[in-house]
Amino acid sequence: PVRNLVARLRADERRPRSSLLRGLSAAPPVGPWDAGEKPAPVAGHMRPMKLPSRPGSWPVYVHQGFLVIVLAMSGACGFLLGSVRFKVTGTYDVQWWEAVLAAVLALTALAAHELAHAVVGAATGRRIERIDFGLKVGVVSSGNSTALRRAASIAAGPITEIIAGLFLWTAAGGGVAALTTPMGLAAAMAVFNGACNLLPLHPSIDGWKLIRFLLMASRTRSALECAPAGQPCPACSGAMAPAREKKNT
């Protein structure tokens, strides 16, 4: 029996592996995606899903990390809904679909946020390379522009999200009672996220970039040239320092 087992193991080693096993052993692509580049086709590596689109339209990629965002927001919405209902009605009664619905509505407002970045950016001369939905959501764009135009495209996102939140709040009926509904909670989350994005809290947040480009616009109205990927780009992030900054808005 031992000899038969050894013989079978050796036969399995000589047998060609399936494409799935070869893909699992393959190394994933190295380095970030630069504007205009596509991910390297590595067999078996978990690549983002590209949503169907018409030729010439903006490519939209959904990364695996976006599922983590959906699950985390669903859990957070369920907790918040239960907490508000307990304070208002004295009962902690939340259905799973209510938590998922609130998360989907809040993420829809976030999608409108990113779409506004893309629409205003394209209207002001930027080329939209792609829209990413993952652990980090953002629009990747390139092209020469002015500081005032860049400020307009950056401000469009949070303002659109706030407007979407106010629309949902009105549809939910308004008032404290609206917070006990999935639509009202999603509205509050959208307004909160949009307002926080307008604050200059961190260089990666829209508010920081907005202040930077507004200060640049007060000093000059000349065009800002878009630098190649890997170099500080005044047109993309307003960066003049040698440190590398990503082209996300």
Side-chain angles (χ1 to χ4, degrees), residues 4-238:
N4 293 337
L5 178 60
V6 173
R8 289 182 181 179
L9 292 175
R10 290 178 178 177
D12 290 339
E13 290 178 356
R14 292 192 296 269
R15 186 180 305 167
R17 293 184 296 175
S18 64
S19 59
L20 176 61
L21 294 179
R22 289 197 300 269
L24 291 175
S25 62
V30 180
W33 296 357
D34 293 325
E37 295 183 357
K38 296 181 179 180
V42 180
H45 181 67
M46 296 183 67
R47 299 183 297 272
M49 177 182 66
K50 182 179 179 181
L51 298 183
S53 59
R54 294 179 298 176
S57 60
W58 305 325
V60 179
Y61 289 93
V62 180
H63 300 252
Q64 288 76 22
F66 191 65
L67 178 60
V68 179
I69 299 296
V70 174
L71 294 176
M73 286 197 65
S74 298
C77 289
F79 174 77
L80 291 174
L81 269 177
S83 300
V84 174
R85 287 181 179 178
F86 182 79
K87 291 183 177 181
V88 175
T89 64
T91 60
Y92 191 95
D93 184 17
V94 179
Q95 303 296 325
W96 66 268
W97 62 267
E98 293 179 304
V100 174
L101 178 59
V104 169
L105 290 175
L107 290 173
T108 301
L110 179 61
H113 174 139
E114 300 304 331
L115 184 60
H117 280 315
V119 170
V120 179
T124 53
R126 296 278 287 181
R127 185 180 69 178
I128 307 303
E129 304 289 350
R130 68 179 183 273
I131 304 176
D132 287 330
F133 288 93
L135 290 177
K136 185 175 182 180
V137 181
V139 176
V140 181
S141 61
S142 62
N144 298 345
S145 185
T146 64
L148 190 59
R149 290 181 176 181
R150 291 292 292 130
S153 65
I154 291 172
I159 292 175
T160 300
E161 188 173 8
I162 293 174
I163 293 175
L166 294 176
F167 175 80
L168 291 175
W169 182 260
T170 303
V176 179
L179 290 175
T180 62
T181 65
M183 185 177 294
L185 179 64
M189 295 177 67
V191 172
F192 178 78
N193 186 65
C196 287
N197 264 269
L198 286 174
L199 300 177
L201 302 176
H202 190 270
S204 62
I205 295 180
D206 291 334
W208 188 287
K209 300 175 186 177
L210 178 61
I211 295 298
R212 176 183 290 179
F213 279 111
L214 287 177
L215 291 176
M216 293 178 65
S218 65
R219 295 193 299 265
T220 178
R221 294 187 178 182
S222 59
L224 303 175
E225 295 185 0
C226 188
Q231 300 180 13
C233 182
C236 295
S237 60

